[in-house]
């Protein structure tokens, strides 16, 4: 295939130059975004409710518009789904992203407006490639195909209005992609949008096994399944035996850390790069811009205005909220967005740690609801992911998936955490794995370490081995199995783990 990379590189370089404004003028860029959002929505129902006018300042906006959860906005979103115009955003919205929901199986339906699709989601994808090309001057990414692993339009709704599409965000992105992009991407739309994962997996392998793949994009856990099946079909041990020009994996959705070692073994690392993205149903928010740090730079001009709730105020009835220009390096915040998809001061449910302020770079700390704090230990997902990775390294184990939940004190034993782990390669000594997991959790989280001190308040973790395929079966039982679905890592109650343990037995 002809190498188009030198021809398109100047286009991507212009974007790098434009985003340099984020360094010294991040506050200006963000205020511009807010004023634009207010102006575009002034005649909508929510704009009329909160009296959006062009002269509205940030302070006035934050005083007029309350913080919203999904449940707060759900009645208006469902009216948009039913075909009403100018509710949360201008015009008619015909696409909605069904989120993976929560452990009780409930789903959220996030509007994907024409403006958010163009200005945010597609622009974010463009920015990822721009920053990758900036980091890799020798790239030949457009000399072959991009393998994009997406979801489908399967959803839990019935009798949708004609023309309305509900499913994974990636399904909408693939369905509406510029036809020119199909020259440099696989698989076909027909395969990419298949609903049945059992049929889709071999179709993905067949679509890619003889292609010259230079880049892959998707959720690490699901792409690992595809790569392992490609290797099995080819009788190979390294993916570069199949795709010799593969040079980058654009990944997001879940932490890459539990999978990094396995990808390292399946790739020729002298040819391979990994770039993290923060691409959610609600918007494309950030991209890694340096090989030295995995922190991601917030995209400030993609139709999203960011606010931040300090982590200590998350459960407050009247939390402190700060704009981007007031965040502090090293602090963890719950993310709030106002965006061109009609989500106004919306608590997205993610927590981020600010690693740098000029420009603002973040790492994802976890979900505001996916944590364990049953005993004051405040264990977050990023602690769990890193501890699992280190315990695997110590014991030569490999993990496919896991979840954890508290076990409350009973006669003869303090409270503790139960970890349900599906191993790709089990440790020779499960007791040692549990001990190393405990050790690394102490290293990573001072609150956990304090509660574990001499076992006075909290006993060591209990590791239960999950049968092969357990998490896949659970996802299938909730209608969530597919390229963008994921299992909640941590839960502060035992609802999810009880379901999984029953299936495991």
């Amino acid at each position: 295939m002809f190498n188009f990379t030198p021809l398109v590189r100047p286009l991507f370089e212009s974007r790098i130059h434009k985003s340099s404004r984020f360094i010294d003028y991040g506050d200006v860029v963000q205020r511009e975004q807010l004023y634009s959002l207010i102006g575009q929505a002034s005649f909508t129902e929510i704009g009329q409710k909160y009296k959006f006018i062009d002269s509205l300042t940030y302070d006035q906006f934050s005083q007029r518009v309350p913080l919203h959860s999904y449940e707060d906005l759900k009645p208006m979103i469902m009216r948009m789904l039913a075909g009403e115009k100018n509710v949360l955003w201008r015009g008619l919205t015909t696409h909605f992203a069904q989120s993976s929901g929560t452990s009780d199986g409930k789903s959220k339906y996030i509007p994907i407006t024409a403006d958010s699709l163009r200005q945010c989601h597609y622009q974010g994808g463009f920015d990822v490639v721009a920053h990758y090309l900036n980091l890799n001057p020798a790239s030949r990414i457009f000399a072959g195909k991009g393998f994009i692993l997406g979801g489908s339009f399967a959803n839990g709704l019935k009798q949708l209005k004609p023309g309305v599409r509900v499913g994974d965000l990636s399904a909408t992105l693939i369905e509406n992609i510029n036809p020119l992009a199909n020259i440099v991407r696989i698989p076909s739309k027909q395969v990419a949008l298949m609903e049945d994962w059992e049929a889709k997996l071999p179709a993905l392998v067949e679509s890619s096994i003889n292609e010259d793949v230079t880049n892959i994009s998707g959720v690490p856990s699901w792409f690992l399944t595809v790569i392992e099946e490609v290797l099995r079909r080819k009788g190979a041990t390294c993916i570069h035996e199949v795709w010799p020009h593969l040079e980058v994996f654009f990944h997001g959705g879940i932490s890459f850390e539990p999978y990094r070692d396995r990808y390292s073994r399946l790739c020729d690392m002298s040819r391979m790069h990994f770039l993290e993205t923060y691409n959610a149903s609600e918007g494309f928010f950030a991209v890694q811009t340096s090989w030295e740090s995995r922190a991601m730079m917030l995209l400030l001009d993609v139709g999203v205005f960011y606010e931040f709730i300090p982590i200590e105020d998350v459960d407050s009835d009247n939390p402190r909220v700060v704009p981007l220009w007031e965040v502090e390096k090293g602090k963890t915040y719950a993310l709030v967005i106002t965006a061109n998809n009609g989500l106004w001061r919306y608590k997205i449910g993610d927590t981020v740690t600010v690693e740098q302020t000029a420009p603002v770079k973040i790492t994802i700390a976890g979900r505001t609801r996916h944590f364990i704090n049953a005993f004051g230990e405040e264990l977050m997902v990023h602690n769990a992911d890193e501890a699992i990775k280190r315990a695997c390294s110590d014991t030569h184990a490999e993990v496919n998936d896991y979840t954890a939940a508290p076990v409350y004190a009973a006669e003869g034993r303090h409270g503790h955490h139960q970890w349900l782990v599906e191993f790709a390669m089990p440790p020779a000594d499960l007791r040692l794995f549990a001990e190393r997991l405990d050790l690394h959790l102490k290293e990573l989280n001072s609150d956990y370490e304090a509660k574990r001190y001499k076992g006075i308040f909290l006993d060591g973790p209990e590791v239960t081995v999950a049968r092969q395929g357990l998490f896949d079966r659970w996802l299938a039982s909730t209608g969530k199995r597919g390229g963008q679905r994921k299992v909640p890592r941590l839960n502060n109650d035992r609802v999810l783990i009880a379901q999984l343990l029953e299936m495991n037995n």
Side-chain angles (χ1 to χ4, degrees):
M1 181 174 171
F2 180 77
N3 182 18
F4 292 97
T5 314
L7 297 180
V8 299
R9 183 180 282 276
L11 182 64
F12 289 99
E13 288 175 346
S14 67
R15 177 57 181 165
I16 297 296
H17 176 72
K18 186 175 181 181
S19 62
S20 65
R21 290 185 72 207
F22 302 169
I23 299 173
D24 296 319
Y25 303 102
D27 58 334
V28 175
V29 177
Q30 275 287 275
R31 284 191 172 95
E32 290 172 351
Q33 294 297 295
L34 179 60
Y35 302 151
S36 175
L37 291 164
I38 289 170
Q40 292 177 81
S42 59
F43 62 89
T44 63
E45 182 176 320
I46 198 163
Q48 294 294 305
K49 179 178 180 179
Y50 295 116
K51 298 180 175 58
F52 288 174
I53 55 175
D54 291 341
S55 60
L56 204 64
T57 65
Y58 167 67
D59 288 339
Q60 291 170 329
F61 171 77
S62 62
Q63 290 165 9
R64 291 187 189 185
V65 183
L67 295 170
H68 290 116
S69 66
Y70 179 77
E71 292 303 319
D72 295 330
L73 295 178
K74 182 179 178 180
M76 300 178 84
I77 291 174
M78 298 311 287
R79 286 168 49 204
M80 294 169 72
L81 256 169
E84 289 193 42
K85 299 179 180 179
N86 304 321
V87 181
L88 289 170
W89 191 249
R90 61 184 183 179
L92 178 68
T93 301
T94 58
H95 283 81
F96 296 80
Q98 178 176 275
S99 78
S100 57
T102 56
S103 58
D104 61 7
K106 294 179 181 177
S107 292
K108 300 175 182 178
Y109 303 100
I110 304 300
I112 308 175
T113 66
D115 290 317
S116 68
L117 195 60
R118 176 174 51 86
Q119 298 171 12
C120 187
H121 291 293
Y122 285 138
Q123 182 62 56
F126 185 91
D127 284 7
V128 171
V129 178
H131 283 285
Y132 172 66
L133 289 173
N134 188 52
L135 291 170
N136 184 12
S139 172
R140 293 172 53 86
I141 189 173
F142 292 114
K145 300 291 183 72
F147 187 177
I148 301 174
L149 183 59
S152 73
F153 284 109
N155 63 78
L157 296 174
K158 297 178 181 179
Q159 298 179 331
L160 286 172
K161 193 174 181 65
V164 173
R165 300 283 267 165
V166 179
D168 292 318
L169 166 67
S170 60
T172 295
L173 296 177
I174 290 170
E175 183 179 61
N176 293 278
I177 199 167
N178 186 318
L180 289 175
N182 292 319
I183 299 172
V184 292
R185 66 168 270 306
I186 57 169
S188 66
K189 286 187 180 182
Q190 181 182 1
V191 171
L193 300 178
M194 289 174 68
E195 295 182 8
D196 182 358
W197 181 256
E198 298 296 338
K200 187 172 186 173
L201 178 57
L204 290 168
V205 173
E206 196 63 37
S207 298
S208 64
I209 203 164
N210 295 313
E211 294 283 358
D212 185 10
V213 175
T214 61
N215 62 101
I216 59 178
S217 305
V219 176
S221 55
W222 290 101
F223 228 119
L224 192 62
T225 303
V226 175
I227 288 174
E228 288 175 339
E229 185 62 17
V230 168
L231 292 173
R232 189 192 68 78
R233 280 279 304 275
K234 281 288 193 178
T237 57
C238 173
I239 197 59
H240 284 91
E241 297 173 43
V242 184
W243 301 325
H245 301 123
L246 177 64
E247 59 179 78
V248 62
F249 181 17
F250 302 117
H251 60 84
I254 60 175
S255 171
F256 190 58
E257 292 315 301
Y259 305 97
R260 188 176 294 277
D261 288 344
R262 291 177 68 186
Y263 274 94
S264 297
R265 285 193 290 275
L266 296 177
C267 299
D268 178 349
M269 294 301 290
S270 68
R271 306 189 231 177
M272 195 62 183
H273 303 88
F274 299 90
L275 205 72
E276 186 166 2
T277 67
Y278 185 3
N279 184 15
S281 298
E282 296 86 352
F284 204 127
F285 302 132
V287 59
Q288 182 181 345
T289 58
S290 166
W291 298 134
E292 287 70 41
S293 169
R294 294 171 193 158
M296 295 175 284
M297 183 179 72
L298 277 180
L299 303 178
L300 305 185
D301 60 356
V302 293
V304 181
F305 180 78
Y306 303 98
E307 294 177 275
F308 304 81
I309 301 174
I311 192 67
E312 62 270 19
D313 285 1
V314 164
D315 293 321
S316 169
D317 292 333
N318 186 29
R320 186 166 66 93
V321 186
V322 299
L324 175 126
W325 52 89
E326 292 182 12
V327 296
E328 298 176 39
K329 181 180 178 179
K331 291 201 66 172
T332 299
Y333 301 89
L335 187 61
V336 177
I337 64 163
T338 291
N340 51 12
N341 53 10
L343 299 179
W344 295 91
R345 303 200 81 204
Y346 177 76
K347 295 180 288 186
I348 192 173
D350 288 342
T351 57
V352 300
T353 300
V354 174
E355 307 291 351
Q356 181 180 310
T357 57
V360 174
K361 291 188 177 183
I362 60 163
T363 52
I364 299 173
R367 298 286 291 173
T368 55
R369 296 303 169 200
H370 292 173
F371 59 88
I372 303 178
N373 194 31
F375 312 102
E377 66 275 47
E378 296 189 12
L379 184 64
M380 303 296 287
V381 172
H382 67 291
N383 301 143
D385 280 337
E386 181 62 24
I388 282 280
K389 176 189 173 183
R390 294 183 186 182
C392 283
S393 178
D394 292 345
T395 61
H396 307 291
E398 292 181 356
V399 168
N400 278 335
D401 230 324
Y402 75 89
T403 194
V407 178
Y408 293 95
E411 186 175 348
R413 186 167 187 187
H414 296 303
H416 62 282
H417 296 165
Q418 182 177 19
W419 297 69
L420 181 60
V421 183
E422 181 182 316
F423 290 99
M425 181 182 296
D429 186 338
L430 190 64
R431 178 190 56 80
L432 177 61
F433 180 88
E435 289 177 357
R436 302 303 293 184
L437 176 63
D438 185 41
L439 171 67
H440 295 308
L441 288 170
K442 292 175 186 174
E443 292 171 347
L444 293 162
N445 186 304
S446 59
D447 291 307
Y448 178 89
E449 181 183 33
K451 297 301 180 291
R452 283 284 294 121
Y453 180 70
K454 294 186 177 181
I456 297 174
F457 302 105
L458 188 66
D459 281 346
E462 168 191 358
V463 177
T464 302
V465 177
R467 297 178 185 273
Q468 289 299 306
L470 172 68
F471 291 99
D472 275 1
R473 292 196 300 276
W474 177 78
L475 284 168
S477 74
T478 62
K480 299 174 185 175
R481 192 165 186 248
Q484 290 201 315
R485 307 308 193 178
K486 44 192 179 284
V487 175
R489 296 301 199 198
L490 303 178
N491 293 275
N492 211 34
D493 57 48
R494 292 190 57 80
V495 175
L496 171 60
I497 205 167
Q499 297 173 10
L500 286 162
L501 288 170
E502 184 175 353
M503 293 179 69
N504 202 43
N505 294 327

